[in-house]
Amino acid sequence: MANCEHASQLARTVALTIGLIAGSGLGQVAPCQAQGAGAGAGLDALRSAQSALIELIKATEPSVVAITHTPPAQANHSPLLFRQGDDGFFRDLRGIPGNARVETPAGAGVVIDASGLVLTQYLVVQPGQQHTIYTVDGDSYPAEIRAADPRSGLAVLDVSVERNDLAPLPIGKAENLQKGSGVVTIGNPNALLTDGQPTASYGTITNLARKADPQVNLNNAKDPLRTGYRTTLHHFGALIQTDARLGWNASGGAVVNLAGELVGITTTVSVIPGHEQSAGYAIPMNAAFRRIVDTLKEGKEVEYGLLGISFSVSARSKTTDGRYGIAVQQAYAGGPAGRAGLRSRDIIT
C-alpha cells in the first residue's frame, strides 16, 4: 500500500499545483482501495486538471494580439523603376533602400471590447507611427491610439474597421488575487506573428503591490528634472509578481485568472531590488486601474487627485504607538494636504 499512498499523494500535490478551479473538484484524489487503485484515481485527477488548463488557454488566447508599428508613409515623387527578373517578369523597385518601411513588432495587446478596443502597455504604442494588430487567425487590422496614460503605463488602441471578429476578454478583479492564486500568462508577439501561436505559461501569484526600480522605464517620458524617466504609479508599488514565464518582449500580454478573466497586463520589468533572479511583473486590473481603463476606452485623459505633499517611498516609518506609515517630508503651502492640516514629519498610517 505504500506505493499506492505515495501515488495518491503525488497526484494530489500536482493537481493542487496545476490549480483548484472552482467547482471542478480538482485536488480531491480518491483514497487507495487496492494496490494500484489510488494511482489510477490520481492520474484521472491529473488528466482532469490538465484538460481544464488546456481549455482555459484555448478559450483565452484568441483575445491576445500582436501589435506592430511602422513609420508613416513618405511621399515618393520619383518615377517607378522596373527591371526584368530572372523569370522574365518585371519587378517593381519601389522597395529599394531609402523607400523601405520596416514593420517592427512592438508588443502584445488584449482585446477588451467587441467594438475593437485593445488594451496594452504604454511602451508598446508609438505616437506618429502607424499601428497594426495581428490575431491568432492571421488576420491584421490597422489601429489608432485611442488614449494613452503615462502615469499608469496603459494605452488603448482602436481597431479602425467597421466589423471584425475580435474576441474580447472580460476584465476581472485583481484585488481578489492572493499569493498562491493560479494564473495563466499569454503573450510573445513574435511567435504570434510568425505562426499564430502565442506563448502560454502557468504559474502562481508570488507577491502583490511590488515597486518598480526607480531607473525602470515604463513610459518613455524623459524626466526634465533628473536623469531617467517620469515616475509612474508602479514606482510606488502597484505591480503584481508571478512566477509564470513571460518570455521575450512581454509588454502588453495577458495575465488570466482561472475564471478566464483578465487580471493583469504583463510588462517588461524583469528585476526589482530584493530578488535574486528575474521574475514576471504585471499591471493589475484592480479597481483603480479598471477606472483608468474605462477612461481610456472613452478616449479621455485620466484625472488624478493632487495631494500636495512630498514623501519618502524608500522605507516605512513608525509612529509612537507602533503603527507603520508613510512620513510626510513637506506639505506644500496652499495645497490640499496643507489646508487639511498635514505637516512635515507627520506619518500617514
Side-chain angles (χ1 to χ4, degrees), residues 237-255:
L239 296 172
I240 56 177
Q241 179 183 334
T242 175
D243 58 10
R245 292 182 62 86
L246 301 189
W248 181 85
N249 198 2
S251 292
V255 178

Side-chain angles (χ1 to χ4, degrees), residues 43 55 63 128 139 157 228-229 243 293 326:
L43 289 174
E55 291 304 314
S63 300
D139 296 325
L157 289 172
Y229 296 88
D243 58 10
V293 171
I326 298 295

Side-chain angles (χ1 to χ4, degrees), residues 77-101:
H77 302 293
S78 60
L80 300 185
L81 302 176
F82 295 91
R83 69 172 173 84
Q84 187 169 357
D86 297 333
D87 53 4
F89 288 93
F90 287 95
R91 305 212 181 272
D92 185 350
L93 296 186
R94 284 177 293 183
I96 59 175
N99 292 329
R101 297 171 60 221

Side-chain angles (χ1 to χ4, degrees), residues 120-123 125-127 145-157 219 292 295-297 299-302 304:
T120 187
Q121 190 183 359
Y122 185 92
L123 290 174
V125 301
Q126 295 288 333
I145 300 175
R146 187 171 182 86
D149 178 40
R151 299 178 185 89
S152 65
L154 292 172
V156 169
L157 289 172
N219 54 19
I292 292 169
T295 303
L296 295 177
K297 287 170 63 176
K300 297 179 180 179
E301 181 181 358
V302 180
Y304 291 88

Side-chain angles (χ1 to χ4, degrees), residues 7-79:
S8 293
Q9 181 59 41
L10 176 62
R12 191 176 293 112
T13 301
V14 178
L16 288 170
T17 301
I18 293 178
L20 298 177
I21 300 178
S24 70
L26 299 184
Q28 303 298 319
V29 180
C32 294
Q33 301 298 328
Q35 185 71 22
L43 289 174
D44 287 342
L46 286 177
R47 293 188 187 102
S48 296
Q50 177 179 266
S51 297
L53 188 59
I54 290 172
E55 291 304 314
L56 173 64
I57 293 171
K58 284 183 179 179
T60 54
E61 68 177 4
S63 300
V64 179
V65 299
I67 300 172
T68 67
H69 57 74
T70 56
Q74 301 292 327
N76 184 3
H77 302 293
S78 60

Side-chain angles (χ1 to χ4, degrees), residues 194-276:
T194 55
D195 54 24
Q197 292 289 328
T199 300
S201 179
Y202 176 81
T204 60
I205 298 298
T206 57
N207 218 324
L208 300 162
R210 302 298 295 141
K211 297 176 184 177
D213 186 91
Q215 301 303 315
V216 169
N217 172 26
L218 286 167
N219 54 19
N220 276 339
K222 291 286 188 178
D223 190 336
L225 301 180
R226 59 182 180 180
T227 59
Y229 296 88
R230 292 288 185 93
T231 301
T232 69
L233 300 178
H234 313 297
H235 292 97
F236 297 108
L239 296 172
I240 56 177
Q241 179 183 334
T242 175
D243 58 10
R245 292 182 62 86
L246 301 189
W248 181 85
N249 198 2
S251 292
V255 178
V256 181
N257 63 14
L258 297 183
E261 300 168 328
L262 179 69
V263 290
I265 294 292
T266 59
T267 73
T268 50
V269 177
S270 59
V271 177
I272 285 181
H275 293 274
E276 66 280 0

